[in-house]
Amino acid sequence: MRLTEWLNFFRQNDRKKVFAFSDLVQMTGIPKDTLRVELSRLVARGVVRRLAREWYANPFSPPSVEEVAMVLRWPSYVSLEYALSVESILSQTAFTITCVTLKLPVVIRTPWGPIFEYHRISRRFFWGWRDLGNGVRAAWPEKALLDLIYIRHLRTRELNEEDLASMLEDMYLEDLDMGRLREFIGGFGSPYGEKMAAVLMGTGRVNL
């Protein structure tokens, strides 16, 4: 297609913010090899942004990083440091978009800047998120905190006790909903719930 035809195509489909390569094959009817060449040219000219391998943004309806996160790995929800930073619980700005998924873990580095980090979690712990619209799922801050403790400390030991305590010092734990926090801790069951409660009680700023 010519440039004007591509622009008309994206404008007419502005309700769709992100296109998979397979979407474009089906919607345009262009042979795959030809389509790859045309998309490469559009990206090179700055008309279309390639979000990741075989994913493209609509130039007339650019997606947010959270919307991109949902399509790169589905099902998933935004959680851990990024969600805590957005909710102003974590005092530091998180630049990596951290998510929880039911699929294999992966880190996706994009050509346009953001890094998406997906952590796999058991289906029995895949809850505690809100639907923010446009397909975006984000953890409640209380669940984002517990996901962080569970994934980075209890399960992987990526954060040892000292590192975790240091991170918790940079959080406004007092702003959490304690009722929801207790409920979510209970949702993790034994032994994780008890260990999470001990960690948080140990800060002296959480009363469970």
CSV table of all heavy atoms in Angstrom, one decimal, residues 98-156:
chain,number,residue,atom,x,y,z
A,98,THR,N,6.8,-3.6,35.5
A,98,THR,CA,6.8,-4.9,36.1
A,98,THR,C,5.4,-5.5,36.1
A,98,THR,O,4.4,-4.8,36.5
A,98,THR,CB,7.3,-4.8,37.5
A,98,THR,OG1,6.7,-3.8,38.2
A,98,THR,CG2,8.8,-4.6,37.5
A,99,CYS,N,5.3,-6.7,35.7
A,99,CYS,CA,3.9,-7.3,35.5
A,99,CYS,C,4.0,-8.8,36.1
A,99,CYS,O,5.1,-9.4,36.2
A,99,CYS,CB,3.5,-7.4,34.1
A,99,CYS,SG,3.4,-5.8,33.3
A,100,VAL,N,2.8,-9.3,36.4
A,100,VAL,CA,2.7,-10.7,36.8
A,100,VAL,C,1.9,-11.4,35.7
A,100,VAL,O,0.9,-10.8,35.1
A,100,VAL,CB,1.9,-10.8,38.1
A,100,VAL,CG1,1.4,-12.2,38.4
A,100,VAL,CG2,2.8,-10.3,39.2
A,101,THR,N,2.3,-12.6,35.3
A,101,THR,CA,1.6,-13.3,34.3
A,101,THR,C,1.5,-14.8,34.6
A,101,THR,O,2.1,-15.3,35.6
A,101,THR,CB,2.4,-13.2,32.9
A,101,THR,OG1,1.7,-13.9,31.9
A,101,THR,CG2,3.8,-13.8,33.1
A,102,LEU,N,0.6,-15.5,33.9
A,102,LEU,CA,0.5,-16.9,34.1
A,102,LEU,C,1.4,-17.7,33.1
A,102,LEU,O,1.6,-18.9,33.2
A,102,LEU,CB,-1.0,-17.4,33.8
A,102,LEU,CG,-2.0,-16.9,34.8
A,102,LEU,CD1,-3.4,-17.3,34.3
A,102,LEU,CD2,-1.8,-17.5,36.2
A,103,LYS,N,2.0,-16.9,32.2
A,103,LYS,CA,2.9,-17.5,31.2
A,103,LYS,C,4.3,-17.5,31.7
A,103,LYS,O,4.6,-17.1,32.8
A,103,LYS,CB,2.7,-16.8,29.9
A,103,LYS,CG,1.4,-17.0,29.3
A,103,LYS,CD,1.3,-16.5,27.9
A,103,LYS,CE,-0.1,-16.7,27.2
A,103,LYS,NZ,-0.2,-16.2,25.9
A,104,LEU,N,5.3,-18.0,30.9
A,104,LEU,CA,6.7,-18.0,31.2
A,104,LEU,C,7.2,-16.6,31.5
A,104,LEU,O,6.8,-15.7,30.8
A,104,LEU,CB,7.5,-18.7,30.2
A,104,LEU,CG,7.2,-20.3,30.0
A,104,LEU,CD1,8.0,-20.8,28.8
A,104,LEU,CD2,7.6,-21.0,31.2
A,105,PRO,N,8.1,-16.5,32.4
A,105,PRO,CA,8.7,-15.1,32.7
A,105,PRO,C,9.5,-14.7,31.5
A,105,PRO,O,10.1,-15.5,30.8
A,105,PRO,CB,9.5,-15.4,33.9
A,105,PRO,CG,9.8,-16.8,33.9
A,105,PRO,CD,8.7,-17.5,33.3
A,106,VAL,N,9.6,-13.4,31.3
A,106,VAL,CA,10.4,-12.8,30.2
A,106,VAL,C,10.7,-11.4,30.5
A,106,VAL,O,9.9,-10.7,31.2
A,106,VAL,CB,9.7,-13.0,28.9
A,106,VAL,CG1,8.4,-12.2,28.8
A,106,VAL,CG2,10.6,-12.7,27.7
A,107,VAL,N,11.8,-10.9,30.0
A,107,VAL,CA,12.1,-9.5,30.0
A,107,VAL,C,12.1,-9.0,28.5
A,107,VAL,O,12.8,-9.6,27.7
A,107,VAL,CB,13.4,-9.1,30.6
A,107,VAL,CG1,13.8,-7.7,30.5
A,107,VAL,CG2,13.4,-9.5,32.1
A,108,ILE,N,11.3,-8.0,28.2
A,108,ILE,CA,11.2,-7.5,26.8
A,108,ILE,C,11.7,-6.1,26.7
A,108,ILE,O,11.2,-5.2,27.4
A,108,ILE,CB,9.7,-7.6,26.3
A,108,ILE,CG1,9.2,-9.0,26.3
A,108,ILE,CG2,9.7,-7.0,24.9
A,108,ILE,CD1,7.7,-9.1,25.9
A,109,ARG,N,12.9,-6.0,26.0
A,109,ARG,CA,13.5,-4.6,25.8
A,109,ARG,C,13.0,-4.1,24.5
A,109,ARG,O,13.2,-4.7,23.5
A,109,ARG,CB,15.0,-4.7,25.9
A,109,ARG,CG,15.5,-5.1,27.3
A,109,ARG,CD,17.0,-5.3,27.3
A,109,ARG,NE,17.5,-5.4,28.7
A,109,ARG,CZ,17.4,-6.5,29.4
A,109,ARG,NH1,16.9,-7.6,28.9
A,109,ARG,NH2,17.9,-6.4,30.7
A,110,THR,N,12.4,-3.0,24.5
A,110,THR,CA,11.8,-2.4,23.3
A,110,THR,C,12.7,-1.4,22.6
A,110,THR,O,13.5,-0.8,23.2
A,110,THR,CB,10.4,-1.7,23.6
A,110,THR,OG1,10.7,-0.6,24.5
A,110,THR,CG2,9.5,-2.6,24.4
A,111,PRO,N,12.5,-1.3,21.3
A,111,PRO,CA,13.3,-0.3,20.5
A,111,PRO,C,13.0,1.1,20.8
A,111,PRO,O,13.7,2.0,20.4
A,111,PRO,CB,13.0,-0.7,19.1
A,111,PRO,CG,11.7,-1.4,19.1
A,111,PRO,CD,11.6,-2.1,20.4
A,112,TRP,N,11.9,1.3,21.5
A,112,TRP,CA,11.4,2.7,21.8
A,112,TRP,C,11.7,3.1,23.2
A,112,TRP,O,11.3,4.2,23.6
A,112,TRP,CB,10.0,2.9,21.4
A,112,TRP,CG,9.0,1.9,21.9
A,112,TRP,CD1,9.0,0.6,21.6
A,112,TRP,CD2,8.0,2.1,22.9
A,112,TRP,NE1,8.0,-0.1,22.3
A,112,TRP,CE2,7.4,0.8,23.1
A,112,TRP,CE3,7.5,3.2,23.6
A,112,TRP,CZ2,6.3,0.6,24.0
A,112,TRP,CZ3,6.5,3.0,24.5
A,112,TRP,CH2,5.9,1.7,24.7
A,113,GLY,N,12.3,2.3,24.0
A,113,GLY,CA,12.7,2.7,25.3
A,113,GLY,C,12.3,1.8,26.5
A,113,GLY,O,13.1,1.2,27.2
A,114,PRO,N,11.0,1.7,26.8
A,114,PRO,CA,10.5,0.9,28.0
A,114,PRO,C,11.0,-0.5,28.0
A,114,PRO,O,11.1,-1.2,27.0
A,114,PRO,CB,9.0,1.0,27.9
A,114,PRO,CG,8.7,2.2,27.0
A,114,PRO,CD,9.8,2.3,26.0
A,115,ILE,N,11.2,-1.0,29.2
A,115,ILE,CA,11.5,-2.4,29.4
A,115,ILE,C,10.3,-3.0,30.2
A,115,ILE,O,9.8,-2.5,31.2
A,115,ILE,CB,12.8,-2.6,30.3
A,115,ILE,CG1,14.0,-2.0,29.5
A,115,ILE,CG2,13.0,-4.0,30.6
A,115,ILE,CD1,15.3,-2.0,30.3
A,116,PHE,N,9.8,-4.2,29.7
A,116,PHE,CA,8.7,-4.9,30.3
A,116,PHE,C,9.2,-6.1,30.9
A,116,PHE,O,9.9,-7.0,30.3
A,116,PHE,CB,7.7,-5.2,29.3
A,116,PHE,CG,7.0,-4.0,28.6
A,116,PHE,CD1,7.6,-3.3,27.6
A,116,PHE,CD2,5.9,-3.4,29.2
A,116,PHE,CE1,7.0,-2.2,27.0
A,116,PHE,CE2,5.3,-2.3,28.6
A,116,PHE,CZ,5.9,-1.7,27.5
A,117,GLU,N,9.0,-6.3,32.2
A,117,GLU,CA,9.4,-7.5,33.0
A,117,GLU,C,8.3,-8.2,33.5
A,117,GLU,O,7.4,-7.7,34.3
A,117,GLU,CB,10.3,-6.9,34.2
A,117,GLU,CG,10.9,-8.0,35.0
A,117,GLU,CD,11.7,-7.4,36.1
A,117,GLU,OE1,12.8,-6.8,35.9
A,117,GLU,OE2,11.2,-7.3,37.3
A,118,TYR,N,8.2,-9.5,33.1
A,118,TYR,CA,7.0,-10.3,33.4
A,118,TYR,C,7.5,-11.5,34.4
A,118,TYR,O,8.4,-12.2,34.1
A,118,TYR,CB,6.4,-10.9,32.2
A,118,TYR,CG,5.8,-9.9,31.3
A,118,TYR,CD1,6.5,-9.3,30.3
A,118,TYR,CD2,4.4,-9.6,31.4
A,118,TYR,CE1,6.0,-8.3,29.5
A,118,TYR,CE2,3.8,-8.7,30.5
A,118,TYR,CZ,4.6,-8.0,29.6
A,118,TYR,OH,4.1,-7.1,28.8
A,119,HIS,N,6.7,-11.6,35.5
A,119,HIS,CA,7.0,-12.7,36.4
A,119,HIS,C,5.9,-13.7,36.5
A,119,HIS,O,4.7,-13.3,36.6
A,119,HIS,CB,7.2,-12.0,37.8
A,119,HIS,CG,8.3,-11.1,37.9
A,119,HIS,ND1,9.6,-11.5,38.3
A,119,HIS,CD2,8.4,-9.8,37.7
A,119,HIS,CE1,10.4,-10.4,38.2
A,119,HIS,NE2,9.7,-9.4,37.9
A,120,ARG,N,6.2,-14.9,36.4
A,120,ARG,CA,5.2,-15.9,36.4
A,120,ARG,C,4.7,-16.2,37.8
A,120,ARG,O,5.5,-16.2,38.8
A,120,ARG,CB,5.7,-17.2,35.8
A,120,ARG,CG,4.7,-18.3,35.6
A,120,ARG,CD,5.3,-19.5,34.9
A,120,ARG,NE,4.2,-20.5,34.5
A,120,ARG,CZ,4.5,-21.6,33.8
A,120,ARG,NH1,5.7,-21.9,33.5
A,120,ARG,NH2,3.5,-22.4,33.5
A,121,ILE,N,3.4,-16.4,37.9
A,121,ILE,CA,2.8,-16.7,39.2
A,121,ILE,C,1.8,-17.8,39.1
A,121,ILE,O,1.2,-18.0,38.0
A,121,ILE,CB,2.2,-15.4,39.8
A,121,ILE,CG1,2.0,-15.5,41.4
A,121,ILE,CG2,0.8,-15.2,39.2
A,121,ILE,CD1,1.6,-14.2,42.0
A,122,SER,N,1.6,-18.6,40.2
A,122,SER,CA,0.6,-19.6,40.1
A,122,SER,C,-0.8,-19.1,39.9
A,122,SER,O,-1.1,-18.0,40.4
A,122,SER,CB,0.7,-20.4,41.4
A,122,SER,OG,-0.4,-21.3,41.6
A,123,ARG,N,-1.6,-19.8,39.2
A,123,ARG,CA,-3.0,-19.4,39.0
A,123,ARG,C,-3.7,-19.1,40.3
A,123,ARG,O,-4.6,-18.2,40.4
A,123,ARG,CB,-3.7,-20.4,38.2
A,123,ARG,CG,-5.1,-20.0,37.8
A,123,ARG,CD,-5.8,-21.0,36.8
A,123,ARG,NE,-5.1,-21.1,35.6
A,123,ARG,CZ,-5.3,-20.2,34.5
A,123,ARG,NH1,-6.2,-19.2,34.7
A,123,ARG,NH2,-4.7,-20.4,33.4
A,124,ARG,N,-3.4,-19.8,41.4
A,124,ARG,CA,-4.1,-19.6,42.6
A,124,ARG,C,-3.7,-18.3,43.3
A,124,ARG,O,-4.4,-17.8,44.2
A,124,ARG,CB,-3.8,-20.7,43.6
A,124,ARG,CG,-2.4,-20.9,44.1
A,124,ARG,CD,-2.2,-22.2,44.8
A,124,ARG,NE,-0.8,-22.4,45.3
A,124,ARG,CZ,-0.4,-22.4,46.5
A,124,ARG,NH1,-1.3,-22.1,47.5
A,124,ARG,NH2,0.8,-22.6,46.9
A,125,PHE,N,-2.6,-17.6,42.8
A,125,PHE,CA,-2.3,-16.3,43.3
A,125,PHE,C,-2.5,-15.2,42.3
A,125,PHE,O,-2.2,-14.0,42.5
A,125,PHE,CB,-0.8,-16.3,43.7
A,125,PHE,CG,-0.4,-17.2,44.8
A,125,PHE,CD1,0.8,-17.8,44.8
A,125,PHE,CD2,-1.3,-17.5,45.8
A,125,PHE,CE1,1.1,-18.7,45.8
A,125,PHE,CE2,-1.0,-18.4,46.8
A,125,PHE,CZ,0.2,-19.0,46.8
A,126,PHE,N,-3.2,-15.6,41.2
A,126,PHE,CA,-3.4,-14.6,40.1
A,126,PHE,C,-4.7,-13.9,40.3
A,126,PHE,O,-5.8,-14.2,39.7
A,126,PHE,CB,-3.4,-15.3,38.7
A,126,PHE,CG,-3.3,-14.4,37.5
A,126,PHE,CD1,-2.1,-13.9,37.1
A,126,PHE,CD2,-4.5,-14.1,36.8
A,126,PHE,CE1,-2.1,-13.0,36.0
A,126,PHE,CE2,-4.5,-13.3,35.7
A,126,PHE,CZ,-3.2,-12.7,35.3
A,127,TRP,N,-4.7,-12.9,41.2
A,127,TRP,CA,-5.9,-12.2,41.6
A,127,TRP,C,-5.4,-10.9,42.3
A,127,TRP,O,-4.2,-10.6,42.4
A,127,TRP,CB,-6.8,-13.0,42.6
A,127,TRP,CG,-6.0,-13.7,43.7
A,127,TRP,CD1,-5.6,-14.9,43.7
A,127,TRP,CD2,-5.6,-13.1,44.9
A,127,TRP,NE1,-4.9,-15.2,44.9
A,127,TRP,CE2,-4.9,-14.1,45.6
A,127,TRP,CE3,-5.6,-11.8,45.5
A,127,TRP,CZ2,-4.3,-13.9,46.9
A,127,TRP,CZ3,-5.0,-11.6,46.7
A,127,TRP,CH2,-4.4,-12.6,47.4
A,128,GLY,N,-6.4,-10.1,42.7
A,128,GLY,CA,-6.0,-8.8,43.4
A,128,GLY,C,-5.7,-7.7,42.5
A,128,GLY,O,-5.1,-6.7,42.9
A,129,TRP,N,-6.3,-7.7,41.3
A,129,TRP,CA,-6.1,-6.6,40.3
A,129,TRP,C,-7.4,-6.0,40.0
A,129,TRP,O,-8.5,-6.5,40.2
A,129,TRP,CB,-5.4,-7.2,39.0
A,129,TRP,CG,-6.0,-8.4,38.5
A,129,TRP,CD1,-5.6,-9.7,38.7
A,129,TRP,CD2,-7.1,-8.5,37.6
A,129,TRP,NE1,-6.4,-10.6,38.0
A,129,TRP,CE2,-7.3,-9.9,37.3
A,129,TRP,CE3,-8.0,-7.6,37.0
A,129,TRP,CZ2,-8.4,-10.4,36.5
A,129,TRP,CZ3,-9.0,-8.1,36.2
A,129,TRP,CH2,-9.2,-9.4,35.9
A,130,ARG,N,-7.3,-4.8,39.4
A,130,ARG,CA,-8.5,-4.0,39.0
A,130,ARG,C,-8.4,-3.8,37.5
A,130,ARG,O,-7.3,-3.7,36.9
A,130,ARG,CB,-8.5,-2.6,39.6
A,130,ARG,CG,-8.5,-2.6,41.1
A,130,ARG,CD,-8.0,-1.3,41.7
A,130,ARG,NE,-6.6,-1.2,41.5
A,130,ARG,CZ,-5.8,-0.1,41.7
A,130,ARG,NH1,-6.5,1.0,42.1
A,130,ARG,NH2,-4.6,0.0,41.5
A,131,ASP,N,-9.6,-3.7,36.9
A,131,ASP,CA,-9.7,-3.4,35.4
A,131,ASP,C,-9.8,-1.9,35.3
A,131,ASP,O,-10.7,-1.3,35.7
A,131,ASP,CB,-10.9,-4.1,34.9
A,131,ASP,CG,-11.0,-3.9,33.3
A,131,ASP,OD1,-10.2,-3.1,32.8
A,131,ASP,OD2,-11.8,-4.6,32.7
A,132,LEU,N,-8.7,-1.3,34.8
A,132,LEU,CA,-8.7,0.2,34.6
A,132,LEU,C,-9.2,0.7,33.3
A,132,LEU,O,-9.1,1.9,33.0
A,132,LEU,CB,-7.2,0.7,34.8
A,132,LEU,CG,-6.5,0.3,36.1
A,132,LEU,CD1,-5.2,0.9,36.2
A,132,LEU,CD2,-7.4,0.8,37.3
A,133,GLY,N,-9.7,-0.2,32.5
A,133,GLY,CA,-10.2,0.2,31.2
A,133,GLY,C,-9.2,0.0,30.1
A,133,GLY,O,-8.0,-0.1,30.3
A,134,ASN,N,-9.7,-0.1,28.8
A,134,ASN,CA,-8.8,-0.3,27.7
A,134,ASN,C,-8.0,-1.6,27.8
A,134,ASN,O,-6.9,-1.7,27.3
A,134,ASN,CB,-7.9,0.9,27.4
A,134,ASN,CG,-8.7,2.1,27.1
A,134,ASN,OD1,-9.7,2.1,26.4
A,134,ASN,ND2,-8.2,3.3,27.6
A,135,GLY,N,-8.5,-2.6,28.6
A,135,GLY,CA,-7.8,-3.9,28.7
A,135,GLY,C,-6.7,-3.9,29.7
A,135,GLY,O,-6.0,-4.9,29.9
A,136,VAL,N,-6.5,-2.8,30.5
A,136,VAL,CA,-5.4,-2.7,31.4
A,136,VAL,C,-5.9,-3.3,32.8
A,136,VAL,O,-6.9,-2.8,33.3
A,136,VAL,CB,-4.9,-1.2,31.6
A,136,VAL,CG1,-3.9,-1.2,32.7
A,136,VAL,CG2,-4.4,-0.7,30.3
A,137,ARG,N,-5.1,-4.2,33.3
A,137,ARG,CA,-5.3,-4.7,34.6
A,137,ARG,C,-4.1,-4.3,35.5
A,137,ARG,O,-3.0,-4.4,35.1
A,137,ARG,CB,-5.3,-6.2,34.6
A,137,ARG,CG,-6.5,-6.9,33.9
A,137,ARG,CD,-6.3,-8.4,33.8
A,137,ARG,NE,-7.5,-9.1,33.3
A,137,ARG,CZ,-7.5,-10.4,33.2
A,137,ARG,NH1,-6.5,-11.1,33.4
A,137,ARG,NH2,-8.6,-11.0,32.7
A,138,ALA,N,-4.4,-3.7,36.7
A,138,ALA,CA,-3.4,-3.3,37.6
A,138,ALA,C,-3.7,-3.8,39.0
A,138,ALA,O,-4.8,-3.7,39.4
A,138,ALA,CB,-3.2,-1.8,37.6
A,139,ALA,N,-2.7,-4.2,39.7
A,139,ALA,CA,-2.9,-4.7,41.0
A,139,ALA,C,-3.3,-3.6,42.0
A,139,ALA,O,-2.8,-2.5,41.8
A,139,ALA,CB,-1.6,-5.4,41.5
A,140,TRP,N,-4.1,-3.9,42.9
A,140,TRP,CA,-4.3,-3.0,44.1
A,140,TRP,C,-2.9,-2.9,44.7
A,140,TRP,O,-2.1,-3.8,44.7
A,140,TRP,CB,-5.3,-3.6,45.1
A,140,TRP,CG,-6.7,-3.7,44.7
A,140,TRP,CD1,-7.4,-4.7,44.1
A,140,TRP,CD2,-7.6,-2.6,44.7
A,140,TRP,NE1,-8.7,-4.4,43.8
A,140,TRP,CE2,-8.9,-3.1,44.2
A,140,TRP,CE3,-7.5,-1.3,45.2
A,140,TRP,CZ2,-10.0,-2.3,44.2
A,140,TRP,CZ3,-8.7,-0.5,45.1
A,140,TRP,CH2,-9.9,-1.0,44.6
A,141,PRO,N,-2.6,-1.7,45.3
A,141,PRO,CA,-1.3,-1.5,45.9
A,141,PRO,C,-0.9,-2.6,46.9
A,141,PRO,O,0.2,-3.0,47.0
A,141,PRO,CB,-1.3,-0.1,46.5
A,141,PRO,CG,-2.8,0.3,46.5
A,141,PRO,CD,-3.4,-0.5,45.4
A,142,GLU,N,-1.9,-3.0,47.7
A,142,GLU,CA,-1.7,-4.0,48.7
A,142,GLU,C,-1.2,-5.4,48.0
A,142,GLU,O,-0.3,-6.0,48.5
A,142,GLU,CB,-2.9,-4.3,49.5
A,142,GLU,CG,-3.4,-3.1,50.3
A,142,GLU,CD,-4.1,-2.0,49.6
A,142,GLU,OE1,-4.5,-2.3,48.4
A,142,GLU,OE2,-4.2,-0.8,50.1
A,143,LYS,N,-1.9,-5.7,46.9
A,143,LYS,CA,-1.5,-6.9,46.2
A,143,LYS,C,-0.1,-6.8,45.5
A,143,LYS,O,0.7,-7.7,45.5
A,143,LYS,CB,-2.5,-7.3,45.2
A,143,LYS,CG,-2.3,-8.6,44.4
A,143,LYS,CD,-2.1,-9.8,45.3
A,143,LYS,CE,-2.2,-11.2,44.7
A,143,LYS,NZ,-1.5,-11.4,43.5
A,144,ALA,N,0.1,-5.6,45.0
A,144,ALA,CA,1.4,-5.3,44.3
A,144,ALA,C,2.6,-5.5,45.4
A,144,ALA,O,3.6,-6.1,45.0
A,144,ALA,CB,1.5,-3.9,43.8
A,145,LEU,N,2.3,-5.0,46.6
A,145,LEU,CA,3.3,-5.2,47.6
A,145,LEU,C,3.6,-6.7,48.0
A,145,LEU,O,4.7,-7.2,48.1
A,145,LEU,CB,2.9,-4.4,48.9
A,145,LEU,CG,3.8,-4.6,50.1
A,145,LEU,CD1,5.2,-4.2,49.9
A,145,LEU,CD2,3.2,-3.9,51.3
A,146,LEU,N,2.5,-7.4,48.1
A,146,LEU,CA,2.6,-8.8,48.5
A,146,LEU,C,3.2,-9.6,47.3
A,146,LEU,O,4.0,-10.6,47.5
A,146,LEU,CB,1.2,-9.4,48.8
A,146,LEU,CG,0.6,-8.7,50.1
A,146,LEU,CD1,-0.8,-9.4,50.3
A,146,LEU,CD2,1.5,-8.8,51.3
A,147,ASP,N,2.9,-9.3,46.1
A,147,ASP,CA,3.5,-9.9,44.9
A,147,ASP,C,5.0,-9.7,45.0
A,147,ASP,O,5.8,-10.6,44.7
A,147,ASP,CB,2.9,-9.3,43.6
A,147,ASP,CG,1.6,-9.9,43.2
A,147,ASP,OD1,1.1,-10.9,43.8
A,147,ASP,OD2,0.9,-9.2,42.4
A,148,LEU,N,5.4,-8.5,45.3
A,148,LEU,CA,6.8,-8.2,45.4
A,148,LEU,C,7.5,-9.0,46.4
A,148,LEU,O,8.6,-9.6,46.2
A,148,LEU,CB,7.0,-6.7,45.7
A,148,LEU,CG,8.4,-6.1,45.6
A,148,LEU,CD1,8.4,-4.6,45.3
A,148,LEU,CD2,9.2,-6.3,47.0
A,149,ILE,N,6.9,-9.1,47.6
A,149,ILE,CA,7.5,-9.9,48.7
A,149,ILE,C,7.6,-11.4,48.3
A,149,ILE,O,8.6,-12.0,48.5
A,149,ILE,CB,6.7,-9.7,50.0
A,149,ILE,CG1,6.9,-8.2,50.5
A,149,ILE,CG2,7.3,-10.7,51.1
A,149,ILE,CD1,6.0,-7.9,51.7
A,150,TYR,N,6.5,-11.8,47.8
A,150,TYR,CA,6.4,-13.3,47.4
A,150,TYR,C,7.4,-13.6,46.3
A,150,TYR,O,8.2,-14.6,46.4
A,150,TYR,CB,5.0,-13.6,46.9
A,150,TYR,CG,4.9,-15.0,46.3
A,150,TYR,CD1,5.0,-16.1,47.0
A,150,TYR,CD2,4.6,-15.1,44.9
A,150,TYR,CE1,4.9,-17.4,46.5
A,150,TYR,CE2,4.5,-16.3,44.3
A,150,TYR,CZ,4.6,-17.5,45.1
A,150,TYR,OH,4.5,-18.7,44.5
A,151,ILE,N,7.4,-12.8,45.2
A,151,ILE,CA,8.2,-13.2,44.0
A,151,ILE,C,9.7,-12.9,44.3
A,151,ILE,O,10.6,-13.7,44.0
A,151,ILE,CB,7.7,-12.4,42.8
A,151,ILE,CG1,6.3,-13.0,42.4
A,151,ILE,CG2,8.7,-12.5,41.6
A,151,ILE,CD1,5.6,-12.2,41.3
A,152,ARG,N,10.0,-11.7,44.8
A,152,ARG,CA,11.4,-11.3,44.9
A,152,ARG,C,12.1,-11.8,46.1
A,152,ARG,O,13.3,-11.9,46.2
A,152,ARG,CB,11.5,-9.8,44.8
A,152,ARG,CG,11.1,-9.2,43.4
A,152,ARG,CD,11.8,-7.9,43.1
A,152,ARG,NE,11.3,-7.2,42.0
A,152,ARG,CZ,11.6,-7.5,40.7
A,152,ARG,NH1,12.4,-8.4,40.5
A,152,ARG,NH2,11.1,-6.7,39.7
A,153,HIS,N,11.3,-12.1,47.2
A,153,HIS,CA,12.0,-12.5,48.4
A,153,HIS,C,11.7,-14.0,48.8
A,153,HIS,O,12.6,-14.8,48.9
A,153,HIS,CB,11.5,-11.6,49.6
A,153,HIS,CG,12.1,-12.0,50.9
A,153,HIS,ND1,13.4,-12.0,51.2
A,153,HIS,CD2,11.4,-12.4,52.1
A,153,HIS,CE1,13.6,-12.4,52.4
A,153,HIS,NE2,12.4,-12.6,53.0
A,154,LEU,N,10.4,-14.3,48.9
A,154,LEU,CA,10.1,-15.6,49.4
A,154,LEU,C,10.3,-16.7,48.4
A,154,LEU,O,10.8,-17.8,48.7
A,154,LEU,CB,8.6,-15.7,49.9
A,154,LEU,CG,8.2,-14.8,51.0
A,154,LEU,CD1,6.7,-14.9,51.3
A,154,LEU,CD2,9.1,-15.1,52.3
A,155,ARG,N,10.1,-16.4,47.1
A,155,ARG,CA,10.2,-17.5,46.1
A,155,ARG,C,11.6,-17.5,45.5
A,155,ARG,O,12.2,-18.6,45.3
A,155,ARG,CB,9.2,-17.3,45.0
A,155,ARG,CG,9.0,-18.5,44.1
A,155,ARG,CD,8.0,-18.3,43.0
A,155,ARG,NE,8.4,-17.3,42.0
A,155,ARG,CZ,7.7,-16.9,41.0
A,155,ARG,NH1,6.4,-17.3,41.0
A,155,ARG,NH2,8.1,-16.0,40.1
A,156,THR,N,12.2,-16.4,45.1
A,156,THR,CA,13.5,-16.4,44.4
A,156,THR,C,14.7,-15.9,45.2
A,156,THR,O,15.8,-16.2,44.8
A,156,THR,CB,13.4,-15.4,43.2
A,156,THR,OG1,13.2,-14.1,43.6
A,156,THR,CG2,12.2,-15.8,42.3
